[in-house]
Amino acid sequence: MSTLLLIHGFLDDVEVWDDVVSALSDDVHVIRYQLPGFGTRTGDTTPEPTLEALADEAGCLLDGVAGDTIVVGQSLGSQIAELVAAGHAGKVTGLVLVTPVPLGGTRLPAEALAPFRALGGDPAAQHAARAALSPALTDKQLDRLTRAGESARPDVVSRYVDVWNDGVPDAPPVSSFTGPVLIVRGGADPFVTTELTDRIKPRFRHAHEEVIDAGGHWVHVEFADQVASAIVAFADNIGGGAAAAGWRQAFAEQSKAGFADAFADDIVLDATTLMEPVVGREAVSTVLAAASSIYETLEFTAEATDGSTSYVQWRATAFGGMAIRGITILERGADGQIVSAAIHHRPLGAVLRFAAEIRDRLAEAIPAIHFIQETR
């Protein structure tokens, strides 16, 4: 599973994620970003609280991370998380927005903001506000959350109200992050409502929303196990998507090394052009590198993932414009590498022509591979 970068929200600290992290398996690598002015950084307001500055600082935590990352942000943290994901597209493969607010801000009028500004230095008011926004919180959870916010300076609290309310003034109508997105909200949250997420979801090209009916604004505290399960399922689906992305990139590069990087040692390749499967990273990479060089054009037109299996639909041309259509089925192992691939070409005439061409190209390199051929 990918590394998770967790970004908390307004008046919270990194410990707000404790129950979610406890619900994850031990092999999940977790990094938590502590916003300045809260928690262990109560006296630290560097950088100046702006969404851009906070995202720059949080993004630095990814510098030493090997492999892919999923960024998870809650409320105000969701605004920061989107900026981190957009700014580190090569490393961030997914974005989880928990009870999110729009990147462009909530834009509430001054009178609506006054109660939020007054929360600084008033533990009783914070306790009451959290109870109103998250009705399923237990007394223990309410007390823990209130302790997280009570030490924040009133001026810092007021400044952060402006941060999430104003948002990014020139927030684009379509997010700069183009990867998969999971939105998790509570059905009992009076702040992040259906109307609000209906404004957020269309900004992303690949967004899925999950609603925990009894959850409130701190749904990740109220129903930590369910939120953790949603994140894990999302990460598993991304793993399949990442395998497909590596496959597409290798075809684009027509690269034997590119294919090999994505494959398990004992990968099995089946195809309509083959009489029997090809087994092993070296042989399969050689076959696919040769096959990719035959295409004159290649376009991947649709993709879906179900657990460890990805389905990739494509169309291509070869041999002076001959049209070829197909579907590739990829199965990945627990480590994310592709353990089997099945390539289904059509129509039959193109299959036979393709098989003959690749057989000729590999006659010396791998003479033992048998391709289908036309019988008369």
Side-chain angles (χ1 to χ4, degrees):
M1 181 177 172
S2 302
T3 294
L4 299 182
L5 171 59
L6 307 178
I7 305 175
H8 68 81
F10 178 61
L11 285 178
D12 292 336
D13 61 18
V14 293
E15 293 181 1
V16 76
W17 298 107
D18 282 356
D19 292 340
V20 170
V21 173
S22 295
L24 299 170
S25 61
D26 293 338
D27 61 347
V28 177
H29 183 214
V30 173
I31 302 172
R32 310 189 205 195
Y33 173 58
Q34 175 64 64
L35 271 67
F38 300 115
T40 58
R41 299 181 68 182
T42 297
D44 180 4
T45 55
T46 303
E48 169 68 17
T50 67
L51 290 177
E52 294 84 355
L54 296 169
D56 285 344
E57 188 180 58
C60 288
L61 297 176
L62 301 181
D63 290 345
V65 175
D68 298 332
T69 304
I70 294 174
V71 183
V72 184
Q74 187 265 339
S75 195
L76 157 70
S78 71
Q79 296 170 304
I80 302 167
E82 181 181 342
L83 294 177
V84 172
H88 297 77
K91 186 178 287 287
V92 175
T93 56
L95 176 62
V96 179
L97 307 176
V98 181
T99 59
V101 293
L103 182 63
T106 51
R107 305 300 174 123
L108 297 175
E111 59 271 19
L113 294 177
F116 292 101
R117 296 191 192 280
L119 294 175
D122 190 341
Q126 290 187 28
H127 190 283
R130 294 181 193 273
L133 292 174
S134 262
L137 287 170
T138 66
D139 290 340
K140 183 179 179 179
Q141 291 169 335
L142 276 169
D143 290 343
R144 187 177 69 178
L145 289 171
T146 300
R147 286 195 300 273
E150 64 185 5
S151 60
R153 298 195 328 242
D155 62 309
V156 172
V157 171
S158 183
R159 176 70 188 100
Y160 269 104
V161 170
D162 290 331
V163 170
W164 55 254
N165 186 61
D166 295 345
V168 173
D170 56 349
V174 176
S175 177
S176 299
F177 179 69
T178 59
V181 176
L182 172 65
I183 297 173
V184 181
R185 70 174 182 88
D189 184 353
F191 191 76
V192 178
T193 60
T194 302
E195 291 74 20
L196 193 62
T197 55
D198 283 348
R199 288 166 47 194
I200 296 171
K201 188 176 177 180
R203 296 187 59 251
F204 300 99
R205 300 181 187 181
H206 308 287
H208 169 69
E209 182 177 4
E210 291 198 19
V211 180
I212 299 174
D213 291 338
H217 197 64
W218 283 270
V219 66
H220 56 317
V221 177
E222 297 166 309
F223 298 96
D225 288 353
Q226 291 185 44
V227 171
S229 294
I231 293 172
V232 169
F234 177 67
D236 286 345
N237 280 334
I238 286 176
W247 177 272
R248 294 194 305 270
Q249 184 64 31
F251 266 98
E253 296 174 352
Q254 299 181 1
S255 163
K256 178 180 175 180
F259 286 111
D261 288 343
F263 293 161
D265 290 340
D266 55 353
I267 182 174
V268 176
L269 171 67
D270 284 295
T272 48
T273 56
L274 292 168
M275 293 292 290
E276 65 273 325
V278 177
V279 180
R281 176 185 288 161
E282 175 67 21
V284 173
S285 298
T286 300
V287 170
L288 290 174
S292 64
S293 68
I294 296 173
Y295 296 121
E296 296 161 351
T297 65
L298 177 61
E299 178 185 3
F300 295 95
T301 57
E303 181 180 320
T305 297
D306 183 7
S308 62
T309 306
S310 293
Y311 305 86
V312 182
Q313 183 172 289
W314 50 271
R315 60 189 176 198
T317 59
F319 315 118
M322 177 183 287
I324 306 173
R325 301 287 187 271
I327 295 176
T328 299
I329 303 173
L330 305 173
E331 186 74 27
R332 61 186 176 85
D335 59 0
Q337 290 188 307
I338 299 172
V339 296
S340 70
I343 306 176
H344 302 270
H345 303 74
R346 65 183 189 276
L348 178 59
V351 173
L352 295 171
R353 179 76 182 273
F354 197 90
E357 178 67 23
I358 195 171
R359 180 191 62 223
D360 293 344
R361 294 192 183 196
L362 293 175
E364 294 185 7
I366 316 181
I369 295 179
H370 299 289
F371 296 90
I372 67 168
Q373 54 187 309
E374 186 172 5
T375 58
R376 299 183 184 275

